[in-house]
Amino acid sequence: MIRLAVNVRPASLPITSACFWMLFASVVVADQGKGGRVNRIEVQASQCVVRYGAEVDLPALSDGVVTQWAVGRNQVVVKNQVIVNLTNDRLNRRRQTAIERLRLARTQAEDTTTLDHAEAALADANEELRRYRSRFGEPDSLGNPTFRALTLAVSQAQRQYDQALAEHAEAEQRCRVRESELAAIETDCQALQLRSPIDGILVDVYRDSGEWVERGQAIAKIVSPEHLTIDALIAQQVAGRAHCQGCPVSIRWDVPNDEGNPQTRRLDGIVKSVDPQWLPGGYRRIHVDVANQLVGNEHDGIADWILYPGQDIRMTVAVMSPTIHRSKGDPYRTMSNAPIPFTGQPAIRPGTMPSRASLQAEIRLSRNRRRSEILR
């Protein structure tokens, strides 16, 4: 139930003012939801500017010279498609050197000749010592020079085997290091191929073929018309920031048809964010996210979209009415459960809509009472 009280001067209330309050109350009550649904009031936004939802400046991931553009300006690109190729002679020489070092390291790691000889020598020494023990038993090592010589040979062969095993492990570790170095250089070489990070259109090229570009410098711009962002102004007096966030938006614009007559098109969106600061004139800037749509058939690999930046549009925002937030209080003091005393002033009764005749009757009654007070 909504109760709106109108306090006006009885003697100076024009008919237009009464009609305004009747219209305002009819808009609010007509939009009142059932079952606790949110009330909304349609508000016209101004100074609408359409922008691409995604605008990416493609940076160079490595130093190099622009050699070949794989995609021309204003052409459609897909994600991970090669846009332009760069060359870097210094990087190519580093790559060739790393390949040779890796080949040498792999050769050393795969060469197990020294390790095999050490393992065979250790096996022979252990076999000689085993045969001697099986023939003469466990002799006294101090009084038997042959046994001491065999034991010393086993120890020496074990040290040679351990050394060969360590050298082989070091060669394998060196091979892995060379592989990591080459992988890093290969990554830099792959960075010489710039790929598109999104699906979109290549709208601008900042470097021509033959120009040098440093790492991090922008080389092209890619935009995505699949999603659009609309910046617009909305009056702060109509609705606060909290009442615009997440509200539905209707966008309309006119385009000529085949006969030359204007045809209205429409898209729907949602308010993603509202700037906290105020602008001159009591406005706030809202940002709307809109999902674009394809129109017509694809021709020569180029798909046409229904809306592009720069088109003149009209936008309506269905803002939430502050009068229905009962749990959060009534900041605008337009709701009250207390009875409205009859003071001879026009008022909107709970659950009823006053007619123009009733408003005029109350105005005449208030004027008559004022004349009676003056005569007394």
Side-chain angles (χ1 to χ4, degrees), residues 303-333:
D304 197 11
W305 296 89
I306 191 173
L307 181 61
Y308 280 98
Q311 292 184 251
D312 189 13
I313 64 171
R314 305 180 300 274
M315 189 169 67
T316 303
V317 184
V319 300
M320 292 186 295
S321 174
T323 60
I324 46 79
H325 297 284
R326 299 179 183 271
S327 60
K328 298 182 180 180
D330 187 14
Y332 294 87
R333 300 186 183 278

Side-chain angles (χ1 to χ4, degrees), residues 87-103:
T87 56
N88 190 320
D89 295 336
R90 180 173 57 85
L91 187 59
N92 292 332
R93 289 193 297 270
R94 285 180 53 198
R95 179 177 178 273
Q96 189 63 32
T97 302
I99 291 175
E100 295 298 332
R101 289 178 178 177
L102 177 60
R103 183 180 294 112

Side-chain angles (χ1 to χ4, degrees), residues 218-343:
I219 192 172
K221 173 179 279 189
I222 301 175
V223 298
S224 175
E226 184 177 0
H227 286 84
L228 301 175
T229 299
I230 301 179
D231 299 336
L233 299 182
I234 189 170
Q236 175 65 18
Q237 293 84 350
V238 176
R241 180 187 177 195
H243 303 123
C244 295
Q245 190 82 17
C247 292
V249 175
S250 175
I251 302 101
R252 292 180 175 84
W253 68 99
D254 297 330
V255 294
N257 54 14
D258 298 338
E259 291 77 13
N261 299 323
Q263 180 182 4
T264 302
R265 291 182 176 179
R266 173 179 175 177
L267 282 176
D268 296 328
I270 188 172
V271 179
K272 282 296 183 181
S273 63
V274 182
D275 291 349
Q277 68 270 17
W278 285 27
L279 299 177
Y283 290 92
R284 283 196 179 184
R285 191 178 304 278
I286 62 175
H287 308 279
V288 179
D289 183 45
V290 180
N292 209 351
Q293 297 178 3
L294 289 173
V295 58
N297 298 324
E298 186 175 345
H299 178 68
D300 294 336
I302 300 178
D304 197 11
W305 296 89
I306 191 173
L307 181 61
Y308 280 98
Q311 292 184 251
D312 189 13
I313 64 171
R314 305 180 300 274
M315 189 169 67
T316 303
V317 184
V319 300
M320 292 186 295
S321 174
T323 60
I324 46 79
H325 297 284
R326 299 179 183 271
S327 60
K328 298 182 180 180
D330 187 14
Y332 294 87
R333 300 186 183 278
T334 56
M335 296 171 53
S336 176
N337 294 326
I340 300 178
F342 179 75
T343 58

Side-chain angles (χ1 to χ4, degrees), residues 198-231:
I198 59 174
D199 298 337
I201 302 174
L202 181 67
V203 296
D204 207 349
V205 173
Y206 302 144
R207 293 290 186 274
D208 295 330
S209 299
E211 292 189 31
W212 175 266
V213 59
E214 295 182 359
R215 182 175 182 178
Q217 289 183 345
I219 192 172
K221 173 179 279 189
I222 301 175
V223 298
S224 175
E226 184 177 0
H227 286 84
L228 301 175
T229 299
I230 301 179
D231 299 336

Side-chain angles (χ1 to χ4, degrees), residues 13-35:
L13 181 64
I15 300 302
T16 56
S17 178
C19 295
F20 167 77
W21 288 110
M22 291 173 60
L23 178 61
F24 176 78
S26 62
V27 170
V28 174
V29 174
D31 198 61
Q32 184 178 6
K34 297 181 181 179

